[in-house]
Amino acid sequence: MLHIERAASGISASGWEAAHGWLARATSEGLSAGANAGLFYGAPAIAFALHAAPWPRYAPARRMLDEGVSVVITDRLSAARKRLERGERPALAEFDLISGLTGLGAHLQRHCPEHHLVGEILSYLVRLTEPIGDLPGWWTHSPPGRTAAYPAGGHGNNGIAHGITGPLSLLALTARAGVIVPGQTEAIGRICSWLDAWQQDHRGSPWWPETISLPEHQEQRSSQEEPGRPSWCYGTPGIARAQQLAALAIGELARQHTAEAAMVGCLNDPYQLGRVTGRGLCHGTAGLMLTATVFAADATAPGDLALDRVAGLLLEESADSDAGPGFLTGDAGYALALHALASSALPATWWDACLLLR
C-alpha cells in the first residue's frame, strides 16, 4: 500500500514495480479464504490492496479475489446468523474491524459499494445492535484484544478496531453515501445511546472507557478513571471520529459538538498526548495524526484541533527497531502517515478506508 500510494501520487516512478514485488511476495504461498480471512489477513487484504492499484494487468486477479471475498463474506454471514438464532453471544472476530464482518464491509463499501453483500452486512450489524436481555447484542465473552484475560461475565468493547465503534463508523459512512437498510438509523442510535451512557469527563472534555465489564455495567460505573492513550484503535480519537461520522449521518448537531469537544480536549492535553506509545497507525502517532486530520476536515472549528502539535509528535517520534515493516504497527504505516503529512492531502488511494476513518 505504501508503494501504491506513492506511485498513485506521482512521488515515485518506480512505485508500481516495487508494489508488484511486494504483492508477488504476499501471494507466493497462497491466500486464506477461510473463516480466519478478514480485511487484514488473507484474500480480502490482498483484494483491498489490488483495488487501489489501477493496473489493467491486475484485472484477472481482482476478479478472482473478488469472488473469493464474496465466498468469505457469505460464509461469515451464514455463521453469524446461525449464532444469532441460537441466542449466543458473538466473538469479537465475528463483527469487529480487524477480523470480522465490519472490516469486510469496509472493503466492499470502498471498492464495491453497489454489491448486494454490503446491504447484507449492514442488516447483520443492525441485528447485532439489538439487545439480548439487559446487555447489548455486541456484548462478548472474547478477551478485549489488548490482553489475554477473559473478563468474568464478558465485556462491551468501545474501540474502533475491535469494538462497537467500528460498526458505528461503517453504518454511518454507508448512510452518508446513501446505502441504507431497514433499521440502520435506529442501530446508529442504539450505539450512540450506549456511548452516551458511558461518557466520562476529564478536565471539562468528554471521553469514553475502552471496555465495560459486567460488574461495571451492573453498577453503571466505569473503573477506568481517566482517558487511556489517545489512539486510533481504542482511545478517544477513534471513538470521537466514529461519533462525528454518526452525527453527520443522522444530522445530530449536539453529538457533533460533543465529538469535537472530546477531540479538542484530547489533542490539547499534554498529559494525554504524553501517553502515546510508538509511531504506528494502530496506537501510535501515525494513527493519531491520520484520525485528527480526517476529523478536522469535517469539524465545525478545525482550528481548535492543534494539528501542528500532532504533526510535531509524528515527526519527533523515534524509530522502533522492533516495529518491523508492517502496516498497522510497523514502518509502512508510519511512512504512509508521513506521506499524507508531506503532501498536505488525504490519501489518493483511500488506503485509510481500512481504518474506517472516511
Side-chain angles (χ1 to χ4, degrees):
M1 289 305 305
L2 171 61
H3 291 295
I4 292 170
E5 174 68 19
R6 285 170 54 82
S9 303
I11 300 298
S12 171
S14 61
W16 296 122
E17 289 301 330
H20 181 75
W22 280 102
L23 286 166
R25 179 177 177 182
T27 57
S28 62
E29 296 181 2
L31 295 171
S32 173
N36 61 347
L39 180 57
F40 291 87
Y41 182 77
I46 299 299
F48 185 88
L50 280 187
H51 274 280
W55 274 6
R57 67 194 283 191
Y58 288 151
R62 273 193 293 268
R63 285 193 296 270
M64 183 180 299
L65 283 165
D66 288 345
E67 292 173 2
V69 171
S70 293
V71 171
V72 169
I73 294 174
T74 300
D75 290 346
R76 297 287 294 273
L77 282 170
S78 176
R81 289 166 182 151
K82 290 176 182 176
R83 190 271 306 166
L84 283 163
E85 291 169 2
R86 294 192 300 268
E88 297 174 354
R89 293 289 172 187
L92 285 178
E94 177 187 291
F95 69 83
D96 74 3
L97 170 59
I98 298 297
S99 303
L101 282 160
T102 294
L104 294 167
H107 165 65
L108 285 186
Q109 73 93 17
R110 173 58 201 150
H111 298 300
C112 315
E114 72 289 347
H115 201 293
H116 72 93
L117 286 174
V118 174
E120 293 191 33
I121 290 174
L122 295 177
S123 294
Y124 154 74
L125 291 177
V126 169
R127 290 189 65 186
L128 180 74
T129 67
E130 296 171 356
I132 301 175
D134 63 347
L135 294 171
W138 62 85
W139 192 269
T140 179
H141 291 285
S142 299
R146 286 176 54 181
T147 70
Y150 283 76
H155 78 286
N157 196 306
N158 293 335
I160 197 169
H162 291 291
I164 196 56
T165 48
L168 178 62
S169 294
L170 182 60
L171 289 164
L173 285 167
T174 50
R176 293 186 73 191
V179 182
I180 301 174
V181 300
Q184 187 164 341
T185 300
E186 292 79 4
I188 291 172
R190 282 192 287 270
I191 300 172
C192 288
S193 294
W194 165 268
L195 293 170
D196 290 346
W198 292 103
Q199 182 177 311
Q200 312 291 308
D201 180 85
H202 177 74
R203 300 178 182 177
S205 298
W207 65 278
W208 297 266
E210 296 180 356
T211 61
I212 302 298
S213 69
L214 185 59
E216 288 172 326
H217 185 270
Q218 292 169 336
E219 297 173 9
Q220 287 298 291
R221 181 177 180 179
S222 171
S223 61
Q224 185 178 334
E225 297 180 351
E226 59 186 16
R229 59 186 176 190
S231 63
W232 163 78
C233 58
Y234 267 94
T236 295
I239 297 173
R241 174 56 175 169
Q243 293 206 67
Q244 182 190 44
L245 289 171
L248 293 169
I250 62 179
E252 195 172 301
L253 186 59
R255 185 169 305 282
Q256 189 174 354
H257 288 161
T258 297
E260 289 191 26
M263 187 68 94
V264 169
C266 172
L267 299 183
N268 286 279
D269 183 355
Y271 172 75
Q272 290 189 63
L273 293 181
R275 303 190 71 179
V276 179
T277 55
R279 62 183 195 176
L281 287 171
C282 185
H283 48 259
T285 53
L288 176 62
M289 195 213 76
L290 258 295
T291 307
T293 300
V294 295
F295 193 100
D298 289 324
T300 59
D304 295 339
L305 291 169
L307 292 184
D308 288 346
R309 182 182 296 118
V310 177
L313 288 175
L314 181 73
L315 295 172
E316 294 165 7
E317 188 66 50
S318 58
D320 181 358
S321 58
D322 296 325
F327 177 79
L328 274 178
T329 60
D331 291 338
Y334 175 69
L336 279 162
L338 280 181
H339 175 83
L341 178 63
S343 60
S344 300
L346 295 172
T349 60
W350 284 69
W351 63 261
D352 55 329
C354 70
L355 303 178
L356 274 181
L357 293 176
R358 62 184 181 117

